[in-house]
Structures are given as structure tokens and as C-alpha cells.
Amino acid sequence: MIRIDSVNQPLPTKGGPIRADNDKPSSSFAALLAEQTVKIVEASKSEQERYTAFDNQLTGPKDSYAANLRGELQRLLSMSPAELIRYQVLEKEGLTEESLKGLPIEERTIIEDMIKDEIDRQLAGTSDAGEKTLRNMRIG
């Protein structure tokens, strides 16, 4: 019969020294796991705070951002159909009313004609397959 003692002889390994059963580990696995969990949670909180601060720098406070969106929506809804079409054409060309005023008279005339044609087309209910853009109509 083979007797198994409570003291076993460690088997040699290639990796290095073997801890004997009577050696006490400095920390238990549960304690190490808890420490690592706390570190990860703290790092996660600091990252979240950093991203929140960065987001606030980009968009400003959330209330003012929502107020800006609400104001823009109200402005668009209060426009007449012709004003809305004008706004859409200018936006499509990457222009504003201010930048339109700063253009040379030839380009401004072309854009004003495009806006007039688009208003006529949309309000008359016709569809025009050949869409005009400033890029297509640039004067040499």
C-alpha cells in the first residue's frame, strides 16, 4: 500500500524555483484581484472624467447646445418656402448670406439665378434632371 503524506516533495520545473507548501504567499489571490479591480475602476473613472471634460470643451454645456439646436430649428420652421429653398441652395454651395454678399458680382448673379430657378422649380412642382451648381456654372 502506498501512503501519501501531507508533505509532498516539489517537482523540479524549468521555470524557476518552486514554493514549498509551508511558504506563505504575501497576498492571497482574492486580495490581489480586489486590488486590481479597484485600480481598474479608478482608472476608468479618471478616463471618463477626462472624456467628459473634453466633450464639454467641444460642445459647451449641454443646455446651451440644446438651446442652440432648438433655436436653429425654430428659425428654419419660421422660414417661408422660398426662404428655406434659398437657405438650402446656399448651404449646398457652402455659402452663407454674408459670404454671398462678399462674392464678385458675376458669381453672385449666377448664384442668385440658381436660387430663383430652384424656387421656381420646387414651387411649381416640376423636377429638373440637370441640377445646376456653382461648380458647373463657374465663369472661366
Side-chain angles (χ1 to χ4, degrees), residues 40-105:
I40 290 171
V41 168
E42 289 173 357
S44 175
K45 284 181 184 177
S46 67
E47 282 293 311
Q48 183 63 34
E49 290 169 359
R50 191 171 66 100
Y51 286 126
T52 301
F54 182 71
D55 187 42
N56 287 340
Q57 288 175 354
L58 291 178
T59 61
K62 299 293 183 202
D63 293 337
S64 67
Y65 181 70
N68 289 341
L69 288 178
R70 234 183 333 271
E72 179 69 11
L73 179 61
Q74 288 174 345
R75 186 177 72 82
L76 290 173
L77 290 174
S78 68
M79 288 181 178
S80 69
E83 291 172 329
L84 186 59
I85 293 168
R86 179 180 181 89
Y87 171 81
Q88 291 170 337
V89 170
L90 289 176
E91 186 177 84
K92 186 177 180 182
E93 296 298 331
L95 298 170
T96 62
E97 288 291 341
E98 294 79 27
S99 63
L100 180 64
K101 290 176 185 175
L103 289 177
I105 192 72

Side-chain angles (χ1 to χ4, degrees), residues 1-139:
M1 179 185 236
I2 300 176
R3 182 172 170 228
I4 301 176
D5 291 337
S6 62
V7 178
N8 293 327
Q9 294 296 324
L11 297 174
T13 62
K14 296 177 186 176
I18 296 177
R19 190 178 77 222
D21 288 343
N22 58 1
D23 291 345
K24 297 275 184 182
S26 61
S27 302
S28 69
F29 176 76
L32 290 173
L33 182 61
E35 287 175 23
Q36 290 301 316
T37 303
V38 168
K39 287 179 183 178
I40 290 171
V41 168
E42 289 173 357
S44 175
K45 284 181 184 177
S46 67
E47 282 293 311
Q48 183 63 34
E49 290 169 359
R50 191 171 66 100
Y51 286 126
T52 301
F54 182 71
D55 187 42
N56 287 340
Q57 288 175 354
L58 291 178
T59 61
K62 299 293 183 202
D63 293 337
S64 67
Y65 181 70
N68 289 341
L69 288 178
R70 234 183 333 271
E72 179 69 11
L73 179 61
Q74 288 174 345
R75 186 177 72 82
L76 290 173
L77 290 174
S78 68
M79 288 181 178
S80 69
E83 291 172 329
L84 186 59
I85 293 168
R86 179 180 181 89
Y87 171 81
Q88 291 170 337
V89 170
L90 289 176
E91 186 177 84
K92 186 177 180 182
E93 296 298 331
L95 298 170
T96 62
E97 288 291 341
E98 294 79 27
S99 63
L100 180 64
K101 290 176 185 175
L103 289 177
I105 192 72
E106 297 87 16
E107 286 188 29
R108 183 173 178 177
T109 304
I110 291 171
I111 293 173
E112 293 289 349
D113 288 342
M114 284 174 41
I115 292 170
K116 181 186 167 297
D117 292 345
E118 186 64 19
I119 290 172
D120 290 344
R121 185 187 70 78
Q122 284 192 25
L123 294 182
T126 61
S127 64
D128 185 9
E131 188 176 294
K132 298 178 184 178
T133 63
L134 177 62
R135 290 166 198 79
N136 294 341
M137 300 178 69
R138 289 250 185 233
I139 299 175

